[in-house]
Structures are given as C-alpha cells and as structure tokens.
Amino acid sequence: MNTQDPSVGTYVFVFAVLLLLAALTTGIAYINLGPFNTVVALAIAAVKMCLVGLFFMHLWYSRGLARIVVLAGFFWLALMVSFTLADVFSRSWIKPPGP
Amino acid sequence: MSESAAGSSLAGTSGRSVSPALHHQFEDIEQQREAGNFGMWVFLATEMLFFSGVFTGYIIYRSLYYSGFAAGSHVLEVDLGAAMTAVLLASSFTMAMAVHAARQGNRAMLLGFLSSTIILGIAFLGMKFTGLNFHPAVDALRGAPEHTVELFMCFYFFMTGLHALHMIIGIGLLGVMAILAWRGKISAEHYNRVEVSGLYWHFVDIIWIYLFPLLYLIGGRYK
Amino acid sequence: MDHLYFFLTGLTLFFTFLIFATIFYFMIKYRRRSEQERPPATQQSLPLEISWIAIPSLICVFLFLWGASLFFAAARPPQGAMEIFVVGKQWMWHLQHPEGQREINQLHIPVDVPVRLTMTSEDVIHDFFVPAFRMKMDVLPGRYTSEWFQATKPGSYHLFCAQYCGTLHSGMTGTIEVMTPTDYAQWLRDNASTRSMAESGQELFTRLGCDTCHLADGSGAGPVLQGRFGKQVTLRDGQNLAMDEAYTRQAILDPASLPLPNYRPVMPTFRGQVSEEQILQLIAYIKSLGSGERTQVP
Amino acid sequence: MSTAIAEVPVESRMHYLNASYGIKSWLFTTDHKRIALLYLGSITLMFFIGGAAAVMMRLHLIEPAGALVQPETYNKLFTMHGVIMVFFFLVPSIPATLGNFLVPMMIGARDLAFPRLNLLSWYVYITGGAITLYALISGGVDTGWTFYAPLSTHYVTTHVIATSLGVFINGFSSILTGLNFIVTIHKMRAPGMTWKRMPLFLWSMYATSVIFVLATPVIAIAMVLIGAERLLHVGIFDPAIGGDPVLFQHLFWFYSHPVVYIMILPGMGVVSELVTCFAKKKPFGYIFIAYSSLAIAMISFFVWGHHMFVSSQSVYAGFIFSALSFAVAIPSAIKVFNWTATLYKGSISYQAPMLYALGFIGLFTMGGLTGLFLASLATDVHLHDTYFVIAHFHYIMVGGAVMAYLGGIHFWWPKITGRLYHDGWARLAALVIFVGFNLTFFPQYMLGYLGMPRRYAVYPAEFQVLNVLSSAGASILGMGYLIPFVYLLWSIRYGPVAGSNPWGAKGLEWETPSPPPTDNFEETPRITEEPYGYAEPEHAHV
C-alpha cells in the first residue's frame, strides 16, 4: 500500500512541528481569548492529529482504503455526537404551557 | 507471519513458527502486509467509537455544567500535562523511527528505538500517577463542594484511566515486538508486525492529543 | 390516533396479502416440471425497480407527516389545563391534586376537562401509561416530564407502569376514575384535605426558612419570588431560562449551578431535606404567589 | 471454472473433518470451517438455553396471576431470555457459522485473512458466554436485556456487573469476526471476482461486518460505564450528581438498533441465495439487492431514537428519528419485491430450504410493516413497551433471522457434512415451525393494541385468552425446533452421501467436493462470468 518510505528528515521535521504545536497549545491557554480558547485548542489538536496521522501513520502515502476507514470512523463519531446533542439541547424548546 | 495485533496477548502466542514469512492463505507478501495494515486501521475505527461514548458524555455535561467543569479543570497541573504531551509526542517519533528502522532491516536501530518508545511510554504513565497530578485530583473528587466538579473529576479519571489502560496494552505490544526483534524474527521484508503496532501506538497518542486540551484547558488558565 | 392505527393495519394486511398471494401464484404456476428445465434469463426492468422504491417512499413520507402532526399536537397541553402532580416511587404512584387531595394508584378526574400531569420519579425510570387514553410518558428521576389528556367518557380505566422498574413492576398498576362534574365535586368534598398544596407549600416555605431571604419587598438576600413564575431569568453568564417547574426544582436542589447576576450565591442546597412531593408543594406555592397563569382551583 | 475432482467415497478422501483427529485438533484449529462448526455447537447450546427460558415464561403467562414462578424469578427469566438470545444466539448465528464457513469459499480464498483472530473470536465468545451463564446460574440479573440506567446501576442487587462483563467480552468476538470478514472480502478475492460477481450472501456479510465493527464498540463502552457506575459511583447516569439516565439509553440504542440489522442482514443474504437456487434464476435486480444491504447498514445508524420517543426525548429529535426510521424501511421493501420478482417465470422446487426462504419472505414482510407502526410517532406513543413491540421484533427475529438460519443450515448441510438429510422430515419441521410461530406471536399484536405492557409477570384478567393462545403456539413452535435437531444429527451418521452439488446450485463453494478439503481449492479459481449463471447451458457437471 505504501511502497514509498518517508525519509528520516520528514520524521524529524514533523516531530519538531508537533512539539512546537504542543507548546503553542499550553501557551495560548494563558491568554484570555474568551470562548475562542477552546476553539483554538481543539484546532491545534486537530492539526497535530493530522500530522501524526498523515506522516507517522503513513496515511499520506497509502491508498484510499485506509483513508476511507478513518473518515468512516470520524463520520460515525460525529453521527453519534450530533444526534445525541440534538436531543439533549432541544428538550427545552417545547414550551411547557403556562405564562 | 503477519497478524493484526488487535489483542496484544495474541501476537506473542503464535508458537507455530512459519519458515517462509508468507501465511498459507495469502497469495503474496504484499497482500499479507496490506491485509495486516487494513485490519489494524479497521480496528482503530472500532477504538475510535469505543472512546466515542465517553466523548459524547463529556461534551454534553461540559456544556450543561460549564462552571463546574471549569473549576474542576483548574485543579489540574497544566505544565505537567504539557510535559506529558511532549513525552508522548516524542514516543510517537521514536515509534515512527522504529518502523523506519524495521523497514531497513537495521536490527540494532530498531531495538534502540523500540526500547526508547517503551521507556517514554512508562515515563508518561509515571508522570500521570505522580503526587503532583494525582492527589489534588483525588482530593477534588472527594471534597467537591459542588457535585458538577465531582462529575468532572469522574470524567477526568475515567477518560485518562481508559487512555492509560490502552497505553499499558501498547507497551505490552511493543515489549513483544522488542522480544521478536531481539530474536531476529523481524526482517527487512517481514516487518509488518512492527508497523501494525506502530499504528496502534500512534492512535493512543492521538487520543491523548485530544484529551489534553479537553480536560486540562477548559476555559483557559488566565488568572 | 386510531385512524392512523387502522390505516397502518390496512396497509400491512394489504402488502402482506399482496406478497403472499404473488408468491403462492408463482409457486403454483412456475413449479419445476422437470429437472432439465431451463427458465428464461431474468430480464432486469429499471422502471419496475424505480416504481417500488418511489411508491413506498411516498407512503412513508405521508405516514411520517401524519404521525408527527398528531404527536406534536399531543405534546403541548392546552392553556389552563387542570394540573395534577404525579410522583412515581418504586412500585406505586402518588398523585396530588392542587386542592390537596393525595391518592395512591388512583386518580379521580372530571370528564371533558383537559388534565395536565407533571411527573417525576424518586428512584428509577417509570412510565405513566393509560391505554384507553392512548397516552404514555416516561417518568424520570431528577426531571419533570409532562403529558396531558382529556377524558371523554366517564368510567374506570387501567393505569400501567410501562417502563421496567424492578421486582414488582407488574404490580405498579392502578385506575383512572373519570367522573361526571357533579360526582367529581361531591368526591372533592368527601375527602377534602385540610390544606391545599399551595398552603402546605407555604408552610414548608416558612419552616425551611426560605422567607428569611426571599422577601416580598426584595430587601432580602434572595430574589423576589412574587409574580416571577414563568418569567425569563438571566443568569450571570448571560443564559436566560424560563422560570418553570424544572428551573425552580434545580434552584432548590442545586442553587450553585444557577448563579444570578446581582445576588451572592449564598443559598444552601436543600437536597435530601425535601422530598419530591414537598418540592412540588413549594412549586405550587411559588406559582400561587402570582404568575401569568393561576392554577385553576375549582 | 476449475473442473470438480471425480467423486470418491467420502471416507477415504482427505477433507477438513478427517484431516486431523482429537480434541487438540479442534480446540487449536485455525481452519475457518472447523471454527464455524465450533460456533455451530456453542450457538445451538445457547439457543436451547434461551429457548428454555422462553418456554418457562410462556407457561407462566397462562394465568393472569402467573402460573409458575414468583415475579422476581419471572424478571430473571425474561432478562436471561433476552441477553442469551440477543447477544449469544442471534448476533453470531449466521455470520459466525455460515459466514465463517462460506466467506472464504465463496471468494475462492484458502482461509480468512486472520485465522488466529478467528479462533480468538471463538474463545472470546466462549469466555463471555461462560461469564454470563455463571451470572445467570448463580442468581441471574433482573434488569431486562436493556440494563436501563438508574435501575441497573443503583436499585438492583443482582449480578449486573458479571453480566455486563460477559456482554462486554462477547462484543470483542463480534468485532473480530466483522474485522476478519471486511479484510477478507476486500483483500482476498480470487482473480476475476469483482464486487459485481460476488454472491449476494457476501454483500450482506460485508454490510453486517460494517455494522459489527462500527456498532459493537459502543455497547462495550456502555457496559463499561454501567460497571463503573455500579462500582465507583462515577455519576455519569446518576441524576443526583447531575448525570442523565437518558444518555445511557442513547449509547445503548446506538448499538442496539444496528444490532437488530446485524441479525436480519445475514438472513437476507441466505434467502437471496436460496431463492435464486431453487427458482433456478438470476436474482431480479442483483445490484439493487446488493446496494440495499449497504443502504440498510448505513441508515441503521441514524434511527436509534425511535426506541426513545416516550422517554422524555425532545419532540424535535423525535421528528428526526421518526423520519429516518421510515427511510430505513425502504431498502427492506426493495429486497422483498426483488425476491418475489425473482420467482417470476422461474422453475421452483419446494425442498426444505426453499420453504424456509418463502416463510422468511412472508413473515419478514409482516414484521417489517408492523415496524412502521412503531416508527410513526403517534402510534408509537400508544404501542411502545407493549406486546405489540414484542410481536414486531419476534416476527423479524424468529420469523426472519431464525427461519433464514435454519434455511441456510439445511441448504449448506450437504456441503458442511457431506451427508443429505431426510427431506420429508425437513419440510414437516418447516411447516410446524411456520404454524407454531404464527400462532404464538400473532395474538401478541392484539395484546399490544389492547395495551398489555411487556415484561409483566401478572396481568389483568381480560388479556388471558390471547395469552393462552400464544402459549399454546409457543409449545408447537418449541416442538418444531426440536425436529430439525433430531434428523440433522441423524443424517451425519446415516444420511446418504451428498455429491459436491446436490442442489445444482451455482457458486464457488459448490465447486469443491462435499466436505471440502482443508485448503478449499487445489489452485485459486479464476472467475470469468456473472454469478448465478442458471440460465447458461449446463457444464459437464457432476
């Protein structure tokens, strides 16, 4: 599936970027961005995940099948979360009677 | 002899030593390797859904009881968490290098990187259970003034505990790989087992990449 | 609801009969006459396939809309429905009338009056199921669920617990007695209770010391409660919620989770000091302190 | 098509049954055919345990006040019936036995992708089964197979943790089987075997494996959370600490609705094979049947909320789930229409497997359409948690999945054992099961409409007549299930020797001699034309 083998250089570079991002996450936590704190932290986490996934796990070099499985995993995860949240947060929409 | 090492105990139990690397049910070594990788990726999808239950619960209760969760999160040591993330990223790096070495068939480098990954993994677990991180969380759990903080602590212990369990399985898996490498079972054209355990290890690292901001950095740490 | 039910029954019988008849017809007409018989090759017909995808889809959309509209109408009780408070306990039903009558496993209501049930449970999930009124709603611990019905014929109807709740789940049954208005008034007089729910709520309000902070003139440490029920409340982090039963219950049991902008969070939690019934009485009392909709006291 | 080996008497030829003898050869086998037989044995054992519980329940319900047991024992009985039948019989029934046996043979492979994982999945199944049986024997558990949250975590003193551990472990057995099938079907098809040339059984096995792999982990985490809440009072579902019991229902039903499709999809695959073989015709709309399997696997993950319409789920979520629940009925309808159309102008013979298949089509149609009652919001409010629901899912599981399972076992029995069973007895058994089944579960539809709740040990007197009718039917059904058990075992020793293709069926598994050799094929077959080539002139075929 992944005949082409990433060179050591790419590994070192990716590792360095990962460490940088980890430091960034903790650093940003100390700055008050209000609600954006969480958004930024999760965005950086997503970037780190893609880096590890694409390079360390050779997704970048492998054919479609592994990628489809990863996307399927995320889709089902999103499916469960979104439908459950749809229920939990729309419970109070139906106005019980009264004033 | 390639096997998707879903259960770590399994990889070690295959007593039957097969002279050629190829299993009888596969046509060629390439098909065997692809099957091994694809099998592990499907298993990682199941692991992702295994964690989904806890993540869904976390997201719901965090939005329902945000203040309690933020208070609970401030009890935890951020710098220690950051250090643990760095250690785990390093172990991911050494794991990738180990797979690289296995592909080259360089046994010494492979053993070196495998053992360093195991050491880093044990270091991570050690940092997790140190006094600095563990006791304040336990005290917060017991003495929680307000039950939503207690709920956060329950989530904290449950999610990191589940992650630690997967770490232990991963370390066991890498231990088996190290033994096989020591006995020279891993050759240049037959390194798939190391690659498969590498995939598992990277997955556990990715889980922690998400756990760290979600648990430690609720609402930022500005005073 | 019954029309939908009978329509669905008809649909099921029609399609089942259609499939059975076609199969029997094919079985008889095309039975194998000889071993060497070679049937003609199957010809695929796309229009036939499309048709038996489209027709069931249309039927399904129609059924969904019909069912959903009935459900949505049933989900919102009419204004001014008669209020009954139900507390489900492991294997019995406590029912409270606003006038103070308390019943176990029995409910007396007048005919042709919409009745709204506000229900909660003290332990596990139960389910208030009255087959005759085609009505069912789970009763959850820690939350209020509500449903309403309007009896059209006097009589005695079964009440079941439909959600498995432990050993005597099948014993947790009762009856709903629907009476003519005159009998109902007579029944009220026969077992009139000393205090209505609102009055026993008021007695609790003073006994627990709520009135030391929640003063009518607003000079106390707690917010004024007069005329507040049902109105919007904005919390410190900007969320605004309606002060309904669920909000009041959470404020009583878990005040710290509802921080108000200009009040210090000094209110202690009353979890464990008040039972579910007492909370309902307190809520009835707070409602009676003036709100958009006065509880109907016949 | 590789030419079939000349037929030699079964005993002298080497095949997977007499390749090696002794307990060790069975307990440490990695041959997918032997593992299929190991599963067959353990599944039949579980079926009779669950069936015994069902018989005792039906006997108990003859009288309104309960004729046999105390209420708490009745609660343990229906929980045991539920847990054993769902997790230990219906989920693995077709995939683990027929699937394990046939998937490699149908695609021309020598074995599954990971034979050792396959054996591990059987040991994991046995461990989970042993723990659950221990829990049931040493006191049982009375929370129902749904383990709803506050009851199972705080208010019950029975063996909930042991049972949830057993179910948790058993989940991994399904994951391993599903994973094995997905990798095998993707990576190990014989040259020339494109996706469109695969038999329909493999399409449904693939769809089932997708659900296995993506749904089972969620029940694993749900069981772990139940155990954690009982032991450590974690509070995720405990309302006192702020948890929400409905969240458990979401996690539970996220698995438990797709699992009912795990139970029925393989049955559909078997019926597609049976209908085409006994009508000697290509399937009508092959691609529609194939894709509707995948469509069912996909949409089944969107609909779990219809189990919670009345459990204080929000009205708007109810709309979404109700609409999607109707959507999931469409692919099943497509399949039923296509099967019926396949019979058109065929030459139909009525051996036992075909009777099971036709019974499946009829009962599955009935079961599926009554599902519409429970998908539409208004009628579900009345019918939820009543005997209507019990009748609905028994029509699909017993009328559908078990009928198809028996049909599949009868159809591939000559291939598995090399022996033919007595067809007259088999047809009798099929009819008795069909009659007994309808007599048992049709009255329950009426009971449900009249409002008799499920899981009731005692019930009001006016429901007694229908309950007695249902119990009578249950005894006939019970007898019906014993008959195949007898003549199939009898056929292993005394049945006439079956050729490699007694039914004249098309498919790679019929190319091999009857009990196939351990490696299935001498050399990997090369596929050249479409599957189900019944219309082509007969080859020189034994």
Side-chain angles (χ1 to χ4, degrees):
Chain A
M1 207 151 58
N2 42 18
T3 47
Q4 198 252 344
D5 176 19
S7 67
V8 178
T10 23
Y11 283 140
V12 171
F13 173 69
V14 165
F15 177 52
V17 170
L18 281 172
L19 282 185
L20 188 71
L21 286 173
L24 198 66
T25 329
T26 28
I28 284 184
Y30 284 102
I31 309 156
N32 176 3
L33 302 167
F36 289 104
N37 248 319
T38 328
V39 171
V40 165
L42 287 183
I44 297 173
V47 167
K48 282 198 281 187
M49 178 185 70
C50 293
L51 279 176
V52 170
L54 291 177
F55 295 100
F56 284 177
M57 296 165 102
H58 311 305
L59 266 182
W60 181 258
Y61 311 99
S62 64
R63 271 199 340 221
L65 218 51
R67 292 179 187 163
I68 294 171
V69 167
V70 170
L71 292 179
F74 277 111
F75 175 72
W76 258 265
L77 184 66
L79 191 69
M80 167 194 259
V81 170
S82 56
F83 273 59
T84 318
L85 292 192
D87 168 37
V88 167
F89 293 134
S90 65
R91 277 189 192 144
S92 55
W93 288 1
I94 188 93
K95 277 284 156 286
Chain B
M1 184 184 77
S2 103
E3 200 70 32
S4 115
S8 72
S9 60
L10 168 91
T13 54
S14 56
R16 191 163 57 93
S17 71
V18 175
S19 52
L22 176 62
H23 275 219
H24 83 287
Q25 74 267 18
F26 288 111
E27 299 303 320
D28 53 40
I29 197 79
E30 187 48 32
Q31 184 191 26
Q32 177 170 315
R33 223 173 48 68
E34 272 175 30
N37 279 351
F38 181 50
M40 178 44 94
W41 274 109
V42 171
F43 180 73
L44 291 185
T46 60
E47 283 287 340
M48 213 187 280
L49 280 163
F50 184 69
F51 278 92
S52 71
V54 182
F55 275 120
T56 320
Y58 172 85
I59 293 170
I60 291 175
Y61 293 132
R62 170 172 165 156
S63 41
L64 286 180
Y65 310 112
Y66 186 79
S67 52
F69 270 49
S73 150
H74 290 176
V75 167
L76 303 171
E77 270 295 325
V78 175
D79 309 335
L80 187 61
M84 286 157 77
T85 315
V87 161
L88 213 48
L89 288 176
S91 71
S92 234
F93 170 68
T94 50
M95 188 66 225
M97 291 310 291
V99 172
H100 183 73
R103 188 172 276 145
Q104 252 78 29
N106 175 338
R107 184 167 162 274
M109 209 165 100
L110 169 65
L111 276 172
F113 278 116
L114 268 181
S115 39
S116 52
T117 314
I118 293 169
I119 291 158
L120 285 167
I122 293 165
F124 171 84
L125 288 177
M127 288 157 96
K128 196 177 131 39
F129 294 112
T130 54
L132 210 58
N133 190 345
F134 195 64
H135 295 303
V138 170
D139 307 340
L141 180 66
R142 280 208 190 77
E146 203 231 316
H147 63 80
T148 48
V149 174
E150 188 186 343
L151 191 61
F152 171 78
M153 279 306 149
C154 295
F155 262 100
Y156 169 74
F157 276 109
F158 195 81
M159 287 164 106
T160 43
L162 211 58
H163 177 264
L165 179 72
H166 278 78
M167 285 288 290
I168 292 158
I169 294 175
I171 291 172
L173 198 60
L174 293 181
V176 166
M177 289 303 128
I179 296 162
L180 290 178
W182 181 260
R183 284 207 224 117
K185 284 279 183 61
I186 312 278
S187 60
E189 46 93 24
H190 181 48
Y191 65 96
N192 187 263
R193 272 169 301 170
V194 178
E195 189 177 15
V196 158
S197 1
L199 289 180
Y200 181 81
W201 187 263
H202 292 307
F203 173 78
V204 174
D205 177 25
I206 287 176
I207 291 288
W208 177 259
I209 287 176
Y210 270 94
L211 280 188
F212 173 60
L214 284 179
L215 289 175
Y216 282 78
L217 306 175
I218 299 181
R221 284 308 178 91
Y222 41 86
K223 291 294 168 289
Chain C
M1 201 286 288
D2 284 74
H3 308 302
L4 176 58
Y5 180 82
F6 291 123
F7 175 81
L8 276 165
T9 324
L11 190 82
T12 314
L13 292 180
F14 166 71
F15 271 108
T16 319
F17 180 72
L18 175 81
I19 296 292
F20 265 105
T22 335
I23 290 180
F24 279 128
Y25 172 69
F26 285 158
M27 277 175 71
I28 291 142
K29 187 162 188 304
Y30 301 111
R31 65 187 178 289
R32 184 173 297 177
R33 287 164 182 79
S34 77
E35 271 319 303
Q36 299 322 328
E37 188 187 23
R38 291 273 75 68
T42 329
Q43 65 285 46
Q44 314 292 353
S45 96
L46 195 58
L48 189 60
E49 297 276 355
I50 303 290
S51 65
W52 65 42
I53 292 175
I55 297 165
S57 311
L58 289 177
I59 297 173
C60 282
V61 166
F62 167 69
L63 287 174
F64 161 66
L65 292 175
W66 186 355
S69 55
L70 289 175
F71 184 75
F72 193 66
R76 285 170 303 119
Q79 286 291 5
M82 176 176 158
E83 191 115 7
I84 301 282
F85 294 97
V86 178
V87 175
K89 218 165 80 58
Q90 217 142 17
W91 309 309
M92 73 175 73
W93 296 103
H94 289 287
L95 298 114
Q96 285 179 271
H97 292 254
E99 303 78 15
Q101 286 83 356
R102 300 153 69 93
E103 296 178 277
I104 306 265
N105 288 350
Q106 267 216 340
L107 177 62
H108 293 80
I109 48 164
V111 74
D112 295 335
V113 167
V115 175
R116 175 170 165 261
L117 302 170
T118 309
M119 304 180 290
T120 181
S121 153
E122 279 181 12
D123 36 46
V124 290
I125 301 178
H126 300 279
D127 189 300
F128 199 88
F129 173 37
V130 185
F133 302 155
R134 299 291 186 265
M135 174 200 76
K136 176 188 290 132
M137 177 53 86
D138 270 16
V139 179
L140 286 124
R143 281 191 46 202
Y144 287 119
T145 50
S146 74
E147 60 185 331
W148 72 282
F149 59 87
Q150 183 165 345
T152 50
K153 208 151 58 51
S156 165
Y157 303 98
H158 275 300
L159 157 67
F160 292 120
C161 168
Q163 179 59 48
Y164 180 68
C165 58
T167 318
L168 293 182
H169 160 62
S170 33
M172 195 170 166
T173 53
T175 53
I176 311 280
E177 309 293 343
V178 181
M179 303 141 77
T180 56
T182 50
D183 297 349
Y184 180 67
Q186 173 59 28
W187 179 80
L188 276 181
R189 276 194 300 279
D190 291 351
N191 29 43
S193 80
T194 52
R195 287 194 312 275
S196 82
M197 263 179 83
E199 284 144 9
S200 39
Q202 182 171 11
E203 186 264 337
L204 260 173
F205 194 79
T206 45
R207 183 158 58 81
L208 292 170
C210 310
D211 52 8
T212 52
C213 296
H214 295 291
L215 299 177
D217 54 17
S219 61
V224 174
L225 297 178
Q226 273 63 18
R228 294 290 302 149
F229 193 82
K231 300 289 190 301
Q232 285 289 336
V233 174
T234 44
L235 302 181
R236 187 176 297 147
D237 55 13
Q239 257 184 349
N240 48 34
L241 306 162
M243 180 170 168
D244 55 8
E245 290 97 346
Y247 177 90
T248 324
R249 182 176 186 285
Q250 191 177 349
I252 294 169
L253 293 179
D254 183 13
S257 69
L258 298 166
L260 290 176
N262 34 36
Y263 288 94
R264 283 177 297 101
V266 289
M267 176 168 170
T269 170
F270 287 88
R271 186 182 296 283
Q273 295 166 26
V274 279
S275 79
E276 292 295 340
E277 275 124 26
Q278 288 167 334
I279 296 172
L280 288 170
Q281 284 158 6
L282 282 169
I283 289 174
Y285 168 65
I286 293 169
K287 270 189 185 174
S288 70
L289 291 177
S291 65
E293 172 253 340
R294 289 194 55 71
T295 42
Q296 196 189 18
V297 182
Chain D
M1 210 65 88
S2 71
T3 57
I5 301 150
E7 203 50 57
V8 289
V10 167
E11 293 70 21
S12 64
R13 188 173 46 74
M14 279 290 292
H15 54 75
Y16 78 102
L17 287 174
N18 61 15
S20 57
Y21 283 94
I23 296 296
K24 237 170 98 48
S25 78
W26 278 91
L27 290 185
F28 296 104
T29 172
T30 54
D31 175 9
H32 66 103
K33 298 181 281 301
R34 285 183 166 229
I35 294 171
L37 289 183
L38 290 174
Y39 262 113
L40 185 65
S42 35
I43 275 165
T44 319
L45 171 75
M46 286 294 186
F47 176 70
F48 283 111
I49 295 172
V55 165
M56 286 167 70
M57 278 159 61
R58 277 309 343 157
L59 287 177
H60 174 81
L61 286 174
I62 291 176
E63 280 167 17
L68 202 67
V69 283
Q70 292 303 323
E72 50 277 338
T73 327
Y74 180 80
N75 297 341
K76 287 180 183 155
L77 274 179
F78 76 69
T79 309
M80 173 169 152
H81 176 68
V83 168
I84 295 272
M85 280 304 198
V86 166
F87 293 112
F88 292 98
F89 170 66
L90 278 168
V91 163
S93 71
I94 295 180
T97 52
L98 295 173
N100 265 334
F101 195 92
L102 292 168
V103 164
M105 293 174 72
M106 278 189 172
I107 53 169
R110 279 185 287 285
D111 202 325
L112 284 171
F114 311 116
R116 266 193 301 275
L117 271 194
N118 207 5
L119 182 63
L120 175 68
S121 92
W122 184 69
Y123 276 105
V124 163
Y125 173 81
I126 291 296
T127 329
I131 292 173
T132 313
L133 284 182
Y134 152 74
L136 295 180
I137 288 159
S138 66
V141 62
D142 63 349
T143 59
W145 79 284
T146 43
F147 299 102
Y148 269 9
L151 177 68
S152 62
T153 51
H154 294 279
Y155 291 91
V156 159
T157 57
T158 48
H159 299 68
V160 173
I161 296 174
T163 316
S164 57
L165 181 67
V167 167
F168 171 73
I169 292 173
N170 183 43
F172 286 99
S173 153
S174 313
I175 291 178
L176 293 177
T177 311
L179 188 136
N180 239 323
F181 284 173
I182 288 181
V183 174
T184 310
I185 291 177
H186 261 293
K187 292 290 175 190
M188 294 172 66
R189 294 195 303 277
M193 170 75 84
T194 63
W195 281 82
K196 300 258 187 325
R197 290 190 181 151
M198 276 201 319
L200 285 168
F201 181 72
L202 286 182
W203 280 91
S204 66
M205 274 300 124
Y206 182 73
T208 317
S209 311
V210 165
I211 309 179
F212 263 142
V213 155
L214 289 172
T216 320
V218 180
I219 193 74
I221 189 73
M223 289 300 137
V224 166
L225 287 173
I226 286 281
E229 178 115 0
R230 265 183 84 84
L231 290 173
L232 320 166
H233 296 297
V234 168
I236 294 178
F237 307 131
D238 175 9
I241 302 182
D244 175 12
V246 184
L247 174 63
F248 172 76
Q249 291 178 21
H250 275 293
L251 289 183
F252 180 79
W253 289 113
F254 184 86
Y255 163 75
S256 295
H257 190 78
V259 91
V260 304
Y261 287 102
I262 286 178
M263 298 171 197
I264 197 63
L265 263 172
M268 293 176 175
V270 166
V271 167
S272 307
E273 297 294 322
L274 297 184
V275 164
T276 44
C277 164
F278 288 96
K280 283 234 172 308
K281 275 193 67 195
K282 262 197 194 327
F284 186 91
Y286 168 94
I287 204 61
F288 284 91
I289 297 181
Y291 283 168
S292 63
S293 293
L294 294 183
I296 288 178
M298 174 67 111
I299 305 173
S300 68
F301 280 94
F302 289 78
V303 300
W304 78 82
H306 59 234
H307 297 276
M308 299 155 57
F309 282 153
V310 286
S311 73
S312 81
Q313 180 186 52
S314 89
V315 173
Y316 299 95
F319 290 153
I320 302 169
F321 283 122
S322 172
L324 290 167
S325 302
F326 275 108
V328 86
I330 307 293
S332 310
I334 296 171
K335 279 186 184 259
V336 168
F337 291 135
N338 276 314
W339 287 324
T340 324
T342 311
L343 295 176
Y344 176 65
K345 277 208 173 68
S347 93
I348 304 163
S349 73
Y350 311 115
Q351 279 113 332
M354 189 54 168
L355 292 186
Y356 281 116
L358 297 176
F360 172 95
I361 297 176
L363 297 179
F364 175 70
T365 312
M366 181 74 180
L369 287 166
T370 44
L372 296 183
F373 288 71
L374 302 169
S376 91
L377 286 153
T379 41
D380 185 68
V381 164
H382 174 53
L383 299 173
H384 181 67
D385 263 343
T386 64
Y387 262 78
F388 193 93
V389 173
I390 301 235
H392 159 65
F393 68 69
H394 278 91
Y395 253 78
I396 293 192
M397 284 202 235
V398 178
V402 176
M403 274 267 199
Y405 173 64
L406 289 174
I409 294 284
H410 281 76
F411 182 58
W412 279 293
W413 189 260
K415 183 54 67 182
I416 296 172
T417 60
R419 296 294 175 121
L420 281 170
Y421 51 83
H422 188 276
D423 203 52
W425 277 104
R427 292 187 196 181
L428 173 73
L431 289 179
V432 166
I433 289 175
F434 185 83
V435 166
F437 169 81
N438 275 312
L439 193 58
T440 315
F441 292 110
F442 197 79
Q444 291 183 359
Y445 278 127
M446 297 166 223
L447 275 175
Y449 177 63
L450 295 175
M452 174 175 173
R454 59 190 287 197
R455 294 173 172 167
Y456 260 37
V458 287
Y459 54 87
E462 70 255 29
F463 297 133
Q464 179 170 18
V465 171
L466 289 168
N467 268 306
V468 166
L469 210 62
S470 178
S471 296
S475 49
I476 301 173
L477 187 63
M479 292 315 303
Y481 282 133
L482 290 178
I483 305 173
F485 190 69
V486 170
Y487 65 75
L488 284 178
L489 289 182
W490 179 82
S491 79
I492 295 178
R493 179 61 63 204
Y494 305 104
V497 172
S500 79
N501 196 345
W503 316 104
K506 289 287 187 266
L508 270 182
E509 77 274 19
W510 299 104
E511 301 301 324
T512 63
S514 255
T518 311
D519 267 356
N520 298 348
F521 299 94
E522 265 45 53
E523 84 291 334
T524 314
R526 189 164 301 285
I527 318 295
T528 45
E529 79 277 313
E530 292 305 308
Y532 307 110
Y534 290 107
E536 282 93 18
E538 275 294 291
H539 293 289
H541 209 352
V542 170

